[in-house]
Amino acid sequence: MNPLCGRCNLVVYPTEKVNCLDKYWHKGCFSCEVCKMTLNMKNYKGFEKRPYCNAHYPKTTFTCVTDTPENNRLKQQSKMQSQVLYREDFEKNKGKGFSVVADTPEMQRIKKSQNQISNIKYHEDFEKKKMGGPGPNQQPSSPSPGYQPPAASQNFHYEPTPAPVQQAAAAPPPSAGKRYRAVYDYSAADEDEVSFMDGDVIIDVQQIDEGWMYGRVERTGQQGMLPANYVEAI
């Protein structure tokens, strides 16, 4: 049985049949839906199973494409894949903090340069303090145990000149009173540094720079330089 034409609904015979867009057409009926220009298999454009010429082909918008069920499914699938990748990266990097960035060769080079600059500055400041600091306090001289003051003259009109009283040397300034507690163990790496253990109390602390301090370990009595990031104020 011969099929019907997709436009005029009349019987289409094999000699004039055009099979396109899942329909059968007469050659004269296969034309543009708007301008009725006769089309062929080379110059037609199909939209919703209807033929159009190039000039009158309907313009589709982006929203029409994205709102299709297929695109919605792809969008949802991409979102799920993104969440899965995020969770994988989170589990891999959990507990590492910022080590992913700090472990790059460039960041390692910058960190090494900063450590070298800090050490150089610390030693320069220490040498300046060492060379320009005040000397040890002088203790007042005390008379020897066998010393006897001269006897007074028998002349009652004679008044001996009193000996000048020496003033005691000024006491050293009181300690700033800064106390810190060690949060890590540290072993001295230089002669002017001090070792301590986790939990030790550091007293008489003086700030040298951002990276170093000077203080005395209360447990051992030793004093010297110590790294500032190994202690916390109490």
Side-chain angles (χ1 to χ4, degrees), residues 90-154:
F90 176 77
E91 291 297 331
K92 290 179 180 178
N93 299 325
K94 183 165 61 175
K96 295 183 179 180
F98 297 95
S99 60
V100 176
V101 178
D103 288 342
T104 60
E106 182 66 18
M107 293 302 296
Q108 289 180 353
R109 183 184 65 81
I110 294 174
K111 183 178 180 181
K112 185 177 181 181
S113 300
Q114 290 177 347
N115 290 337
Q116 291 177 352
I117 294 173
S118 178
N119 289 333
I120 292 173
K121 184 178 179 181
Y122 151 67
H123 286 290
E124 287 179 355
D125 293 342
F126 179 77
E127 290 297 329
K128 289 180 181 178
K129 290 181 178 293
K130 185 177 179 181
M131 298 298 295
N137 294 328
Q138 299 291 334
Q139 298 295 332
S141 58
S142 59
S144 60
Y147 172 77
Q148 295 292 334
S153 174
Q154 297 297 326

Side-chain angles (χ1 to χ4, degrees), residues 189-213:
D190 207 342
E191 296 179 356
D192 53 0
E193 296 180 4
V194 63
S195 300
F196 51 85
M197 299 177 62
D198 183 9
D200 281 348
V201 177
I202 315 299
I203 60 176
D204 301 335
V205 178
Q206 298 179 9
Q207 187 75 32
I208 302 301
D209 57 19
E210 295 181 358
W212 291 90
M213 296 179 171

Side-chain angles (χ1 to χ4, degrees), residues 2-232:
N2 294 324
L4 300 180
C5 178
R7 186 178 298 278
C8 64
N9 289 328
L10 297 178
V11 177
V12 180
Y13 295 100
T15 56
E16 55 181 356
K17 180 173 62 174
V18 176
N19 184 5
C20 187
L21 300 175
D22 296 334
K23 296 181 180 179
Y24 295 97
W25 314 77
H26 293 106
K27 291 183 180 181
C29 293
F30 190 64
S31 59
C32 177
E33 288 287 322
V34 179
C35 63
K36 306 303 180 184
M37 181 183 72
T38 303
L39 303 172
N40 55 43
M41 300 298 293
K42 295 182 179 181
N43 62 0
Y44 87 96
K45 288 190 175 182
F47 182 77
E48 294 182 353
K49 296 187 178 181
R50 308 299 295 179
Y52 292 89
C53 65
N54 187 40
H56 296 102
Y57 181 74
K59 303 297 182 182
T60 57
T61 61
F62 181 75
T63 55
C64 293
V65 175
T66 55
D67 289 341
T68 59
E70 180 64 18
N71 284 326
N72 286 334
R73 184 185 66 81
L74 293 175
K75 181 179 179 181
Q76 186 69 19
Q77 184 177 358
S78 299
K79 185 177 180 180
M80 293 174 62
Q81 290 178 351
S82 178
Q83 292 177 352
V84 170
L85 292 176
Y86 164 74
R87 290 178 181 176
E88 289 180 356
D89 292 339
F90 176 77
E91 291 297 331
K92 290 179 180 178
N93 299 325
K94 183 165 61 175
K96 295 183 179 180
F98 297 95
S99 60
V100 176
V101 178
D103 288 342
T104 60
E106 182 66 18
M107 293 302 296
Q108 289 180 353
R109 183 184 65 81
I110 294 174
K111 183 178 180 181
K112 185 177 181 181
S113 300
Q114 290 177 347
N115 290 337
Q116 291 177 352
I117 294 173
S118 178
N119 289 333
I120 292 173
K121 184 178 179 181
Y122 151 67
H123 286 290
E124 287 179 355
D125 293 342
F126 179 77
E127 290 297 329
K128 289 180 181 178
K129 290 181 178 293
K130 185 177 179 181
M131 298 298 295
N137 294 328
Q138 299 291 334
Q139 298 295 332
S141 58
S142 59
S144 60
Y147 172 77
Q148 295 292 334
S153 174
Q154 297 297 326
N155 187 358
F156 297 99
H157 297 285
Y158 172 77
E159 294 181 359
T161 304
V165 178
Q166 295 185 358
Q167 296 182 355
S175 173
K178 294 184 178 179
R179 297 167 63 88
Y180 286 77
R181 178 181 289 109
V183 294
Y184 304 104
D185 294 344
Y186 181 75
S187 298
D190 207 342
E191 296 179 356
D192 53 0
E193 296 180 4
V194 63
S195 300
F196 51 85
M197 299 177 62
D198 183 9
D200 281 348
V201 177
I202 315 299
I203 60 176
D204 301 335
V205 178
Q206 298 179 9
Q207 187 75 32
I208 302 301
D209 57 19
E210 295 181 358
W212 291 90
M213 296 179 171
Y214 186 89
R216 179 164 57 91
V217 181
E218 190 176 42
R219 178 177 58 85
T220 61
Q222 296 179 352
Q223 58 184 4
M225 311 301 296
L226 60 145
N229 59 345
Y230 276 67
V231 297
E232 62 180 4

